[in-house]
Amino acid sequence: PIVMSLLAAPFFTCILLGLDSPQRLAIAVAFGTAQSLLSKTAKYALFDPTTQMAYIPLDDESKVKGKAAIDVLGSRVGKSGGSLVQQGLVLLFGNIIQAAPAVVTLFYAVLAGWFAAANRLNTLFLKKTEEMEEKEKVKN
C-alpha cells in the first residue's frame, strides 16, 4: 500500500490539475504507466510471497480454508466490487475524469484500510508464531 500511495500521488496530481494541455496529459500518462508497472512489480515481488507466509503458523485445515476463501472470494469480490464502484462513479459524474476527486478519495481510503489490515495481520501472525514456538518448547 505504501508503494502504491507514493507512486499514485503524482498521477492524481496531474489529473486533478486538469488535462487541458497535451503536455499535462503526456505527464499524467507517464506517471500512470510508471505507477502501474512499479506497483505490479512490488505486488509480485513483495506482496504475493508475503501473503503465502501468513499461512505458515496455521494448522492444515485452516491453511486450506483460508487460501480458498482469500483466493476465490477475495479476488472475485475485489475485482467485481471495484468495477461496480467505477461504473457507479461514471454514472454519477458523467465520466471518469469528472469523478477524479472521488476516485482519489476512494483510492487512498482503500489503501489506508489495506495498511491497517496488514498491520493487524502482522500482530496476529506474530502472536500465532509465538504460540507455535511455545508448543515446540513444551514438546521438547
Side-chain angles (χ1 to χ4, degrees):
I2 294 170
V3 171
M4 290 181 69
S5 65
L6 293 175
L7 295 173
F11 170 75
F12 283 129
T13 300
C14 286
I15 297 295
L16 293 175
L17 289 175
L19 300 174
D20 52 353
S21 70
Q23 293 84 10
R24 195 173 293 157
L25 177 60
I27 292 169
V29 168
F31 279 131
T33 301
Q35 189 269 346
S36 182
L37 292 173
L38 294 173
S39 65
K40 291 284 186 200
T41 301
K43 178 191 180 301
Y44 293 124
L46 303 172
F47 178 73
D48 288 350
T50 305
T51 57
Q52 297 306 311
M53 288 174 54
Y55 299 111
I56 291 172
L58 300 177
D59 61 84
D60 290 339
E61 182 180 348
S62 296
K63 284 181 187 178
V64 171
K65 288 181 179 179
K67 284 183 180 184
I70 297 301
D71 291 345
V72 175
L73 290 176
S75 175
R76 305 249 191 273
V77 170
K79 289 178 183 178
S80 299
S83 297
L84 182 64
V85 168
Q86 185 175 354
Q87 287 300 315
L89 289 172
V90 168
L91 289 172
L92 187 64
F93 288 93
N95 63 49
I96 200 67
I97 298 299
Q98 296 299 321
V103 171
V104 171
T105 303
L106 289 170
F107 180 81
Y108 282 105
V110 168
L111 287 182
W114 183 9
F115 188 73
N119 283 329
R120 176 72 177 136
L121 180 60
N122 179 54
T123 303
L124 294 172
F125 178 81
L126 292 175
K127 182 180 175 186
K128 192 71 168 176
T129 303
E130 287 175 13
E131 289 174 6
M132 285 179 56
E133 289 172 356
E134 290 297 320
K135 286 181 183 178
E136 287 296 318
K137 286 180 185 177
V138 171
K139 284 183 182 179
N140 295 332

